[in-house]
Amino acid sequence: MLLLDVAINGNPVADATAPVTHEMELSLWDLCLKGGPIMIVLAVLSLVCIYILIERAIVVNRAAREDQTFMQRIRDYIHEGEIESAFNLCKKNNSPYARLVAKGISRIGRPVNDILAAVENTGNIEVAGLSKGLPWLATTAAGAPMLGFLGTVVGMVEAFYAIAAEGNSANIATFSSGIYTALVTTVAGLVVGVVALFAYNYLVARINSVMNMLESKSMEFMDLLNEPAI
């Protein structure tokens, strides 16, 4: 009769013995919740990294801006004996290299080695100020994957404990939550670690470029002190 119905009406008949499949949807939020408490720590670290990256990038990019006429105006003021005008120009510019030059101007009249030491110390202070927050990024880059692996170990312990507790009646649902914790925390830890590593290397590269500019300005300033006035 079934074959006759198909032949007459053209309606296929579903196989009663065919397995019924259920589609399971899992949102990103649900996936993060499966990771357990360690996901909270990783989320906090990721927010800290993003804040440090944005805040330091703004500060470093501002410090990297250069006034091409600054050193020429400083040279003219010093050669004309207008030390106060040169110092006021540095205060008005208010950049790392301007503060460096201002420190050197304030030491004019002392031995050259004293001036150079003061300039170098100021440069070190400026670089240290620009590097604020970088240890957090370095620590996160190394520590976030370790936290992820810790979550992996905790998840696997939970999974095997569930299997042992269920005994012969254990099935895939018994330890699925532990597997979720293991895999989700590993992925999250690696993602946070990679983001922190790239942010750290980017900021270090930018700070190194500012350091090179400070060294160039300091040498240019020391050279103009030894130049004869025209």
Side-chain angles (χ1 to χ4, degrees):
M1 294 296 293
L2 292 175
L3 294 177
L4 182 60
D5 182 68
V6 172
I8 294 175
N9 301 321
N11 297 324
V13 179
D15 187 359
T17 62
V20 179
T21 59
H22 299 279
E23 293 185 0
M24 181 178 178
E25 295 183 358
L26 190 64
S27 66
L28 180 61
W29 175 252
D30 293 333
L31 194 63
C32 292
L33 292 179
K34 293 289 186 180
I38 292 181
M39 293 295 293
I40 298 176
V41 180
L42 292 175
V44 172
L45 289 176
S46 65
L47 292 176
V48 171
C49 288
I50 293 173
Y51 170 77
I52 293 175
L53 173 61
I54 296 175
E55 190 268 339
R56 286 292 93 187
I58 294 174
V59 172
V60 173
N61 288 335
R62 187 180 301 157
R65 295 174 184 173
E66 184 177 1
D67 183 359
Q68 299 295 334
T69 64
F70 176 77
M71 290 305 299
Q72 181 59 48
R73 295 166 67 187
I74 291 293
R75 177 181 288 104
D76 294 339
Y77 281 139
I78 291 179
H79 286 172
E80 293 171 3
E82 300 180 6
I83 306 300
E84 188 67 24
S85 298
F87 191 79
N88 290 334
L89 177 62
C90 294
K91 291 176 62 177
K92 182 179 179 180
N93 188 282
N94 194 29
S95 62
Y97 63 83
R99 289 190 288 270
L100 182 146
V101 172
K103 178 62 68 174
I105 292 175
S106 66
R107 296 295 189 271
I108 288 180
R110 297 187 180 183
V112 175
N113 290 336
D114 292 348
I115 299 176
L116 180 59
V119 169
E120 290 179 347
N121 290 336
T122 303
N124 292 334
I125 293 173
E126 293 292 337
V127 172
L130 294 176
S131 302
K132 185 177 64 175
L134 264 62
W136 280 99
L137 290 179
T139 301
T140 302
M146 300 301 293
L147 287 174
F149 293 146
L150 176 61
T152 300
V153 175
V154 171
M156 296 305 296
V157 169
E158 292 177 353
F160 284 110
Y161 178 80
I163 294 174
E166 293 292 335
N168 294 331
S169 62
N171 53 35
I172 187 64
T174 304
F175 57 94
S176 60
S177 61
I179 298 299
Y180 269 124
T181 301
L183 297 180
V184 170
T185 55
T186 300
V187 173
L190 291 174
V191 169
V192 174
V194 168
V195 171
L197 180 62
F198 277 93
Y200 175 82
N201 287 332
Y202 167 76
L203 291 177
V204 167
R206 294 292 295 156
I207 291 173
N208 285 338
S209 66
V210 176
M211 285 179 57
N212 293 333
M213 182 182 66
L214 293 179
E215 291 178 357
S216 174
K217 296 296 183 183
S218 64
M219 291 299 99
E220 188 174 354
F221 174 74
M222 296 305 299
D223 288 341
L224 75 86
L225 292 181
N226 295 321
E227 290 178 357
I230 300 176

